[in-house]
Amino acid sequence: GMYIFPTVIFEVWNTMYTVPDIVYLPNTSLALTTSLIAITTTLLASYSSCYVILKDNPASLLRPKAPVNGKKIILEHLNFLWRRMSFTAKVTARNIFRYKKRFLMTVIGISGCSALLLSGFGIRDSIGQIATYQFEQIISYATAAKFTSNLTLIEKQDYVDELKTQVNVEDAMLISETNGTIYVGNEELAVTIIIPYDIVQYRDFYQLRERTTKQTINIKNSGIVITEKAATDLNLKINDKLTIANSDGYKEQAIITGIAENYVGHYVFMAANYYRDLFSLRPIYNSSIIKLNDTSTTSETQFGTQLIDSGKIDSLTFYSGIADQFKDMITSLNLVVVVMILSAGILAFVVLNNLS
């Protein structure tokens, strides 16, 4: 408890952050207290069991213990069900009612072990495919480039058109990406507001879809699309209204027209026309999203260097790197999952062994 579990958790954090070497500081008083409680509990259970037995004389103890009297159980009164049960099933049912404590201890003990096993496997299954879903199925572009602030819209459009002519570029388009906040009652949530230059073309770059049905969600001129986790956290549904603030802090009421599948971050998608209707402002298209034919590390490095050297790009984000970081994190979390599953399995074995 003082060395194995901390080591496992430390290794998980170590893959995501730069942290100093682990230093073990055993808590002697805690160890002695918990050990004392465990030993005392075990001794009391043993003493009470032996005390009852030792009150009898040896002759009584040498004879087999008389079984608990059998009684007619509830199921036997349900003749239509009882007569369809096999002999083994009938004996099992009678034993369950005869030894109620053992039955309850078995059910409760194995339920706890099963819950731990389910948690372990559930964590692995629920997070194992996040990187694949987010960075291969939902996000179809390889990089996002943020323009320098001194460029005009025409200059940005010309540069995007220039990018499209490059051999390694499959497609590119302009988007507006700014910070925002949504408010529902007393709750608030920081989001990223995405406004595509062309809402139809944007479907080729980002798959807006409903998670369970995989049905495509369209960005409309009369509402916003928010990501599923944001909607869940704020208990929002389609056609609900919320207050949204842009990066300048202006707040307006918006209506939800879609809830999209998403696994990393909170996003709000809207059309430029709707943004103008809400805030009486034109969106500033400050970024370009780019699909590449070759996403190898060497190719991305060369492409990134070229963009920065152009003097028109302020910063770059390559999603292949982010995806790799998530995969490393998930691989490390597998250690925690293995520990949970092994612990639950050992506990289940001990419970069943004692009860049997």
Side-chain angles (χ1 to χ4, degrees):
M2 291 186 180
Y3 295 97
I4 295 176
F5 291 111
T7 302
V8 170
I9 295 169
F10 175 82
E11 290 301 324
V12 173
W13 287 109
N14 203 25
T15 61
M16 296 182 283
Y17 305 103
T18 301
V19 292
D21 292 336
I22 188 170
V23 178
Y24 296 101
L25 297 173
N27 190 329
T28 307
S29 61
L30 179 63
L32 289 174
T33 303
T34 51
S35 298
L36 185 61
I37 292 171
I39 293 168
T40 303
T41 305
T42 306
L43 287 175
L44 284 174
S46 302
Y47 174 78
S48 61
S49 179
C50 293
Y51 180 77
V52 172
I53 293 173
L54 292 174
K55 286 197 300 184
D56 275 339
N57 56 53
S60 299
L61 294 173
L62 287 171
R63 289 194 293 269
K65 189 176 180 181
V68 179
N69 292 332
K71 296 179 181 178
K72 204 168 187 178
I73 63 176
I74 297 173
L75 288 177
E76 293 185 57
H77 295 289
L78 304 175
N79 193 45
F80 68 94
L81 181 62
W82 184 255
R83 67 170 180 265
R84 287 177 170 80
M85 294 171 63
S86 65
F87 175 77
T88 305
K90 290 178 179 178
V91 171
T92 302
R94 281 176 173 162
N95 282 335
I96 285 174
F97 282 90
R98 181 180 293 183
Y99 305 105
K100 297 181 181 67
K101 289 182 182 178
R102 293 184 189 179
F103 170 69
L104 287 173
M105 286 298 296
T106 304
V107 170
I108 294 170
I110 299 305
S111 294
C113 302
S114 300
L116 282 174
L117 283 169
L118 185 63
S119 298
F121 285 110
I123 290 171
R124 187 197 64 179
D125 293 342
S126 61
I127 67 175
Q129 296 300 315
I130 284 179
T132 301
Y133 290 150
Q134 184 73 21
F135 301 108
E136 294 180 19
Q137 297 182 14
I138 296 175
I139 295 177
S140 303
Y141 53 92
T143 182
K146 188 174 284 289
F147 291 106
T148 55
S149 57
N150 60 336
L151 295 180
T152 65
L153 179 58
I154 294 176
E155 288 174 326
K156 294 172 184 176
Q157 288 174 318
D158 290 341
Y159 189 66
V160 169
D161 291 336
E162 181 185 328
L163 285 174
K164 291 179 182 179
T165 63
Q166 296 188 20
V167 176
N168 193 32
V169 176
E170 180 184 340
D171 202 359
M173 72 171 291
L174 283 173
I175 65 166
S176 170
E177 182 176 348
T178 60
N179 295 325
T181 308
I182 54 178
Y183 302 87
V184 178
N186 296 324
E187 297 183 271
E188 62 179 77
L189 186 68
V191 296
T192 300
I193 301 174
I194 303 291
I195 306 170
Y197 187 77
D198 185 333
I199 57 177
V200 176
Q201 185 187 7
Y202 189 65
R203 297 174 193 164
D204 298 329
F205 291 81
Y206 195 103
Q207 306 303 313
L208 284 171
R209 66 187 187 186
E210 205 277 330
R211 178 175 54 84
T212 54
T213 64
K214 305 303 179 187
Q215 184 175 353
T216 300
I217 299 173
N218 296 318
I219 301 175
K220 300 177 181 179
N221 290 317
S222 58
I224 63 173
V225 176
I226 68 172
T227 46
E228 186 175 8
K229 187 65 168 66
T232 303
D233 287 348
L234 298 176
N235 195 26
L236 294 169
K237 304 182 293 298
I238 293 176
N239 295 324
D240 283 353
K241 287 188 176 181
L242 54 80
T243 300
I244 183 168
N246 65 4
S247 56
D248 296 320
Y250 297 119
K251 297 180 181 179
E252 294 294 340
Q253 287 280 316
I255 188 169
I256 299 173
T257 57
I259 296 175
E261 178 182 12
N262 188 74
Y263 298 96
V264 181
H266 302 299
Y267 291 91
V268 169
F269 305 89
M270 69 175 77
N273 292 338
Y274 192 63
Y275 184 84
R276 284 196 294 268
D277 291 341
L278 286 179
F279 300 105
S280 300
L281 294 170
R282 291 180 179 275
I284 298 174
Y285 295 99
N286 56 0
S287 300
S288 173
I289 49 178
I290 306 162
K291 297 173 75 172
L292 298 177
N293 293 313
D294 183 4
T295 56
S296 64
T297 303
T298 303
S299 178
E300 286 186 344
T301 302
Q302 292 175 349
F303 182 70
T305 303
Q306 176 191 336
L307 292 186
I308 296 297
D309 290 344
S310 70
K312 297 179 180 179
I313 300 300
D314 190 41
S315 62
L316 280 169
T317 300
F318 286 103
Y319 286 95
S320 59
I322 298 175
D324 290 339
Q325 288 177 5
F326 266 86
K327 288 176 181 177
D328 291 341
M329 180 184 71
I330 289 165
T331 300
S332 300
L333 285 174
N334 283 337
L335 290 171
V336 177
V337 171
V338 168
V339 170
M340 286 183 67
I341 292 172
L342 285 176
S343 300
I346 293 169
L347 185 60
F349 173 79
V350 170
V351 170
L352 285 175
N353 183 64
N354 286 342
L355 290 170
S356 62

